[in-house]
Amino acid sequence: MAAPKKASKKKVKRHVTSGRAFIHASYNNTIVTITDADGNPVTWSSGGVIGYKGSRKGTPYAAQLAAMDAAKKAQSFGMTSVDVVVRGTGAGREQAIRALQASGIQVRSIVDDTPTPHNGCRPRKKFRKIA
């Protein structure tokens, strides 16, 4: 005897009008994550998602393509404006912001939140010469 089929709920697509875009720009890659106002991720993209491998992921052009890809996905959710938070010192920082602006999403603010060490690591112990 076959079990009766359960009626599954239809997946409702979220409609998000504004949010935040986090750009993590390292020397090896650039990751763009777009979230809603609460910080829940809506979409993301990176140099590797675009199709680049190795050192090409860290280029400004790969960052531009990643930001445009994430923006296009976010616009399908109804995203119109973002606050940008940039972290890291990679080559794709500026290019990713420019790509977000060019994609049609309004950039309301840009904040640099790069982590910096306050006093650094503890130095090595002092070398003692043996006489």
Side-chain angles (χ1 to χ4, degrees), residues 21 23 82-87 93-94 96-98 100-101 107-113:
I23 299 170
V82 291
D83 298 310
V84 178
V85 178
V86 187
R87 288 195 180 117
R93 285 167 54 105
E94 309 296 324
I97 296 169
R98 289 207 178 109
L100 281 175
Q101 289 171 330
V107 174
R108 289 188 298 203
S109 67
I110 301 170
V111 176
D112 186 5
D113 195 25

Side-chain angles (χ1 to χ4, degrees), residues 55-115:
S55 61
R56 279 196 272 175
K57 291 191 296 185
T59 61
Y61 183 66
Q64 176 184 344
L65 292 180
M68 290 179 86
D69 181 48
K72 190 165 58 171
K73 290 177 190 173
Q75 283 174 329
S76 69
F77 284 94
M79 185 81 66
T80 56
S81 63
V82 291
D83 298 310
V84 178
V85 178
V86 187
R87 288 195 180 117
T89 56
R93 285 167 54 105
E94 309 296 324
Q95 208 60 33
I97 296 169
R98 289 207 178 109
L100 281 175
Q101 289 171 330
S103 66
I105 292 182
Q106 179 193 4
V107 174
R108 289 188 298 203
S109 67
I110 301 170
V111 176
D112 186 5
D113 195 25
T114 305

Side-chain angles (χ1 to χ4, degrees), residues 114-127:
T114 305
T116 54
H118 292 284
N119 204 8
C121 300
R122 183 178 178 193
R124 293 181 61 168
K125 64 182 180 181
K126 192 169 174 148
F127 177 74

Side-chain angles (χ1 to χ4, degrees), residues 12-53:
V12 179
K13 197 163 191 179
R14 291 192 301 174
H15 187 74
V16 184
T17 55
S18 65
R20 299 177 86 183
F22 292 91
I23 299 170
H24 179 263
S26 69
Y27 293 115
N28 298 318
N29 202 353
T30 303
I31 302 170
V32 180
T33 306
I34 299 179
T35 67
D36 59 12
D38 299 327
N40 303 314
V42 176
T43 183
W44 69 277
S45 187
S46 70
V49 170
I50 300 303
Y52 285 143
K53 290 182 180 177

